[in-house]
Amino acid sequence: MSTILEVKDLTKKFADTEVLKGISFELKKGETLAVIGSSGSGKSTMLRCLNQLSPPDSGEILLEGVNINTPEIDLNTVRADMGFVFQDFNLFIHLSVLENVMFGPLRVRGLPKKEAREIAMAEIERVGMIDKIDFYPAQLSGGQQQRISIARALALRPKLILFDEPTSALDPELTGEVLGVMTALANDGMTAIVVTHEMGFAQSVADKAIFIDQGIIVEQGVPEQMFAAPRHERTRHFLSNFVGLE
Amino acid sequence: MEIIRILISELPQFAKGTLIALEVLAGLLALGLVLGLAIALAEIFGNTVVKFFATTLRKFLWAIPQLVLLFLVFYLPFDLNPVCAAIIALGLCSSAFQSQIFRGAILSVQSGQIEAAKAMGLSKPKIIFYIVIPQMIRLSIGPWTNEFSSELKDTSLAYVVGVVEIMRQAKYIIAYTFGNTAAVYLFVGVLYFMLTRIGTYFFYKLEERLWVPGFEKRS
Ligand SMILES: Nc1ncnc2c1ncn2[C@@H]1O[C@H](COP(=O)(O)OP(=O)(O)OP(=O)(O)O)[C@@H](O)[C@H]1O
Ligand SMILES: [Mg+2]
């Protein structure tokens, strides 16, 4: 499989605090990468640097071989190719479910309405929400809102999707439905980076995992191996917080 | 009840005055809306220079009494007719108020939604047009209705520059009502009351039509 994303020595500072101190990793087409680490370690910052919601200070981000961390690149095109799913969904509250999912194809990609609608319907179907197309975000549960926000990201037909703790704002009983959708996506060959505290999901679905601590990647590898036999003390310590991992 | 007969026979004059008042009102609200929205967008999304000019203009317009601006515009050496002068002067004053309404509404659009739109690759103008403004409109209708009724009353100020609106008509009529001045003004008061109620009802209906779940509803 070809490499879709290659990150080289990414750094980011806020005022005087170095939040990312040289992050490097590679992702192949179709892979799911789980990013784990304790609160404040820089996971969200890393995702936000990838699509430049926060511009990185230095480093290269090669998307299909092209460095997108240069001033010449058209940011909006890059962002449309990288889906982003937020912890708190951020659906457009004045638009219905269908309009939310049509929004990308229609307003970002500039497709005709009919085509945008077809794409949207397919993605809504994929996340199992076809009976709710005329609902507004305020009428949906958190889990349903998150599934729609995943559909909204997919409707742009991105090259990869970034998930920032997509289930952290959800009650435990709603977490399953969202992880189910994400598992199906991974099986369909979608490329994804998932920041998560769901170790079960990381272990069973992700092809790779990276553990970030204080802005550096301490350890990376295959999740089963990393979780069963962490090589670093800090990884071991972090994983010990999650009981019931086998 | 001579006065009632006079008022009834003068109804066509009051109707004319009402139409002029509504013309001034529509004009000043439209000018205030366009300029007020421009000021609000400039203050929130503009660069430092744009922001500075918008803020200065707003503070200036905010500070000047409507009467002063009315005379100022009327006596500009452009030979403006009274209705135009009133629309411009009152519209400028209104824009300062309206900009504050829009500013509040824009700032209460959740930043997460704007970030989500940005993350989808939407340009800033499109974010403003497709996300910010539609939500702003829904949030503004309530306060905007207040501005509507307060400006409806303020159209009566236009009579100082010679606009033949409701107040000016009342003055003409009072000239031959022989002491029934209060009755005429009572009639004028009721007229303003009815106009306000009709307008407010219309905006309330509009707000209901535009309402979607997730926006606060006025009770
Ligand atoms: N906009 C910002 N300005 C200043 N500091 C920031 C900003 N965003 C993040 N930080 C700091 O950067 C560090 C990393 O934050 P980040 O949100 O990336 O952590 P995280 O790993 O995602 O944590 P969590 O699991 O709690 O979401 C934190 O110390 C945070 O305070
Ligand atoms: Mg985070």
Side-chain angles (χ1 to χ4, degrees):
Chain A
M1 274 287 174
S2 58
T3 299
I4 198 159
L5 183 74
E6 194 176 350
V7 176
K8 292 184 189 166
D9 218 14
L10 202 64
T11 69
K12 174 74 183 174
K13 255 189 202 164
F14 287 113
D16 305 330
T17 41
E18 262 191 293
V19 177
L20 301 180
K21 302 170 188 163
I23 297 282
S24 305
F25 65 89
E26 232 187 87
L27 194 63
K28 292 200 167 24
K29 201 167 172 1
E31 279 183 332
T32 298
L33 170 71
V35 179
I36 59 172
S38 51
S39 183
S41 56
K43 307 180 298 296
S44 298
T45 306
M46 184 191 86
L47 284 195
R48 295 167 57 82
C49 280
L50 292 181
N51 76 348
Q52 311 223 1
L53 280 179
S54 326
D57 295 333
S58 68
E60 285 182 23
I61 303 166
L62 303 170
L63 181 64
E64 292 185 327
V66 180
N67 185 12
I68 58 169
N69 188 26
T70 64
E72 299 89 64
I73 228 79
D74 176 30
L75 265 186
N76 287 332
T77 313
V78 168
R79 286 180 180 151
D81 286 342
M82 277 200 216
F84 202 108
V85 174
F86 296 84
Q87 185 173 339
D88 41 8
F89 336 128
N90 293 335
L91 290 174
F92 305 130
I93 62 170
H94 63 301
L95 301 179
S96 69
V97 161
L98 179 61
E99 290 164 337
N100 262 280
V101 183
M102 278 175 69
F103 192 85
L106 200 60
R107 305 300 181 201
V108 178
R109 297 291 191 204
L111 296 176
K113 210 161 189 169
K114 187 165 166 287
E115 209 173 318
R117 192 189 152 92
E118 277 163 16
I119 293 173
M121 291 300 279
E123 298 305 343
I124 295 171
E125 175 94 66
R126 164 133 76 156
V127 300
M129 292 279 295
I130 208 76
D131 54 329
K132 295 279 197 290
I133 54 169
D134 291 326
F135 281 54
Y136 283 87
Q139 297 170 307
L140 303 176
S141 73
Q144 292 172 328
Q145 289 189 56
Q146 193 59 299
R147 280 149 67 195
I148 293 304
S149 94
I150 294 172
R152 179 177 67 176
L154 288 169
L156 279 165
R157 299 280 147 86
K159 292 176 177 150
L160 78 164
I161 301 198
L162 314 175
F163 291 89
D164 192 3
E165 303 198 31
T167 59
S168 291
L170 301 177
D171 294 337
E173 64 266 33
L174 299 178
T175 300
E177 60 185 74
V178 173
L179 292 180
V181 166
M182 293 170 63
T183 306
L185 276 183
N187 293 337
D188 285 353
M190 187 72 217
T191 314
I193 302 181
V194 186
V195 171
T196 185
H197 292 295
E198 296 293 332
M199 294 302 155
F201 172 82
Q203 181 158 337
S204 59
V205 179
D207 306 285
K208 274 187 196 164
I210 61 183
F211 169 61
I212 297 190
D213 193 37
Q214 295 177 15
I216 55 168
I217 297 181
V218 173
E219 187 161 348
Q220 52 182 311
V222 179
E224 286 91 349
Q225 288 167 14
M226 196 163 119
F227 294 176
R231 277 174 284 137
H232 290 265
E233 179 49 38
R234 283 196 277 178
T235 321
R236 193 170 309 140
H237 185 255
F238 173 75
L239 289 170
S240 70
N241 297 323
F242 298 88
V243 285
L245 266 182
E246 56 230 59
Chain B
M1 291 257 86
E2 180 66 6
I3 184 66
I4 292 182
R5 203 192 50 75
I6 292 178
L7 284 173
I8 288 174
S9 70
E10 294 299 339
L11 276 180
Q13 296 312 112
F14 277 118
K16 267 190 213 160
T18 303
L19 283 180
I20 301 282
L22 292 180
E23 187 187 334
V24 172
L25 179 66
L28 83 90
L29 285 175
L31 174 62
L33 185 135
V34 172
L35 188 60
L37 185 56
I39 291 174
L41 291 173
E43 284 196 86
I44 294 172
F45 298 106
N47 62 29
T48 326
V49 180
V50 170
K51 216 175 264 186
F52 174 78
F53 280 109
T55 306
T56 310
L57 177 63
R58 167 174 60 77
K59 286 182 176 164
F60 186 72
L61 293 175
W62 189 278
I64 304 182
Q66 285 159 310
L67 274 177
V68 174
L69 207 56
L70 264 169
F71 284 123
L72 193 160
V73 173
F74 185 65
Y75 288 109
L76 283 177
F78 298 133
D79 217 13
L80 283 172
N81 76 48
V83 169
C84 280
I87 287 175
I88 293 171
L90 297 174
L92 287 173
C93 282
S94 177
S95 72
F97 281 88
Q98 293 195 41
S99 80
Q100 292 304 86
I101 294 173
F102 296 138
R103 181 190 164 79
I106 290 170
L107 292 179
S108 46
V109 176
Q110 296 150 7
S111 60
Q113 291 180 57
I114 294 170
E115 186 150 77
K118 208 166 143 187
M120 291 172 79
L122 203 66
S123 64
K124 198 163 165 179
K126 283 187 175 178
I127 293 177
I128 292 172
F129 189 78
Y130 291 116
I131 307 296
V132 175
I133 291 190
Q135 298 197 25
M136 179 207 79
I137 290 173
R138 289 174 170 84
L139 294 165
S140 310
I141 297 176
W144 205 85
T145 307
N146 293 338
E147 173 65 3
F148 158 84
S149 45
S150 125
E151 292 299 338
L152 171 62
K153 290 186 280 188
D154 291 348
T155 56
S156 62
L157 294 172
Y159 111 105
V160 301
V161 292
V163 176
V164 190
E165 43 65 72
I166 300 172
M167 280 298 283
R168 174 70 64 165
Q169 291 289 5
K171 282 267 188 219
Y172 292 156
I173 292 159
I174 283 163
Y176 50 90
T177 53
F178 316 107
N180 267 317
T181 309
V184 176
Y185 282 127
L186 177 64
F187 178 81
V188 168
V190 171
L191 184 54
Y192 276 110
F193 171 75
M194 288 185 334
L195 291 174
T196 304
R197 291 316 305 161
I198 293 167
T200 312
Y201 177 80
F202 170 77
F203 286 114
Y204 187 73
K205 285 287 152 198
L206 181 70
E207 189 177 23
E208 264 189 352
R209 269 190 64 141
L210 291 179
W211 185 79
V212 297
F215 285 87
E216 266 176 50
K217 221 173 184 173
R218 273 190 294 168
S219 45

